[in-house]
Amino acid sequence: MDRPEILPIDDSATVWTTFRPTGRPLLVLMHGYGANERDLLPLAAQLPPEFAVAALRAPLPLGRGGHAWFPITADPGTPTLADADAATAGVLAWLETVRAEHAPGPVVLLGFSQGGAMAAHLLRRAPAAFAAAVVLSGFSVPGSVDGDTRLAQLRPPLFWGYDLDDPIVPGAAFDRTRDFLSEHVDLREHRYAVGHSISAAELDDVAEFLAGVFDGVGPVIEP
């Protein structure tokens, strides 16, 4: 079966923390494999209140309320470019509608695991569309994207938090991700002993990073 060129977002499933995003910076949350749009919502209360927050549901249903952004391949942490492109095309189409209807301010991406891979890939697909990104236990997608050259010129700030001993994402995926991100974004890399999850310390660092994004220069977080 041919892969679709776009996997649309079900906007009726999107959860907003505000009904008035006009002019406010928008934080887009993207959950991990097997979760749903409500999985990351508890984080919103611990992040800067200036943000309007929209939590998306991934387009591929897995059953029992779980969803995915793209299928898991035989090599975890290495999705196909076509699958990632179809998912990011759906998010970009959703965002175009949101911008037309709600006129939010700058847009920042935050994703966990597969959602983190989506955040990084969205920057590559539309480098000028986003002010910054947060990638938690996430990874880059192998292959070249047309926007990579422009992304390397713009170098938006990107927070990347992960555990080298992550039991889900193999170390080779993190090595690939580090090589790509250090060449294309203003990388803020931080390692945590969290397995495949998010710690309180990591969330504190994310909040500090997001607060710094709109000051022009975010905090430098040493690995």
Side-chain angles (χ1 to χ4, degrees), residues 24 28 30 191:
R24 296 177 61 179
V28 179
M30 291 172 288
R191 300 172 189 168

Short mmCIF file of all heavy atoms in Angstrom, two decimals, residues 24 28 30 191:
data_model
loop_
_atom_site.label_atom_id
_atom_site.label_comp_id
_atom_site.label_asym_id
_atom_site.label_seq_id
_atom_site.Cartn_x
_atom_site.Cartn_y
_atom_site.Cartn_z
N ARG A 24 -0.68 35.51 21.50
CA ARG A 24 0.15 34.85 22.52
C ARG A 24 1.06 33.83 21.87
O ARG A 24 0.69 33.19 20.88
CB ARG A 24 -0.74 34.16 23.55
CG ARG A 24 -1.60 35.09 24.36
CD ARG A 24 -2.49 34.33 25.32
NE ARG A 24 -1.74 33.54 26.29
CZ ARG A 24 -2.31 32.80 27.23
NH1 ARG A 24 -3.63 32.74 27.32
NH2 ARG A 24 -1.58 32.11 28.08
N VAL A 28 3.03 23.95 21.09
CA VAL A 28 2.36 22.78 20.53
C VAL A 28 2.96 21.52 21.15
O VAL A 28 4.17 21.27 21.02
CB VAL A 28 2.52 22.73 19.00
CG1 VAL A 28 1.83 21.50 18.43
CG2 VAL A 28 1.94 24.00 18.36
N MET A 30 3.29 17.42 21.49
CA MET A 30 3.13 16.19 20.71
C MET A 30 3.60 15.00 21.54
O MET A 30 4.77 14.91 21.91
CB MET A 30 3.92 16.32 19.40
CG MET A 30 3.31 17.33 18.44
SD MET A 30 4.34 17.67 16.99
CE MET A 30 5.66 18.62 17.77
N ARG A 191 21.66 15.79 29.62
CA ARG A 191 21.41 14.38 29.88
C ARG A 191 20.85 14.19 31.29
O ARG A 191 21.26 14.86 32.22
CB ARG A 191 22.71 13.58 29.72
CG ARG A 191 23.29 13.68 28.32
CD ARG A 191 24.67 13.06 28.24
NE ARG A 191 25.31 13.34 26.97
CZ ARG A 191 26.59 13.12 26.72
NH1 ARG A 191 27.38 12.62 27.66
NH2 ARG A 191 27.09 13.42 25.53
#
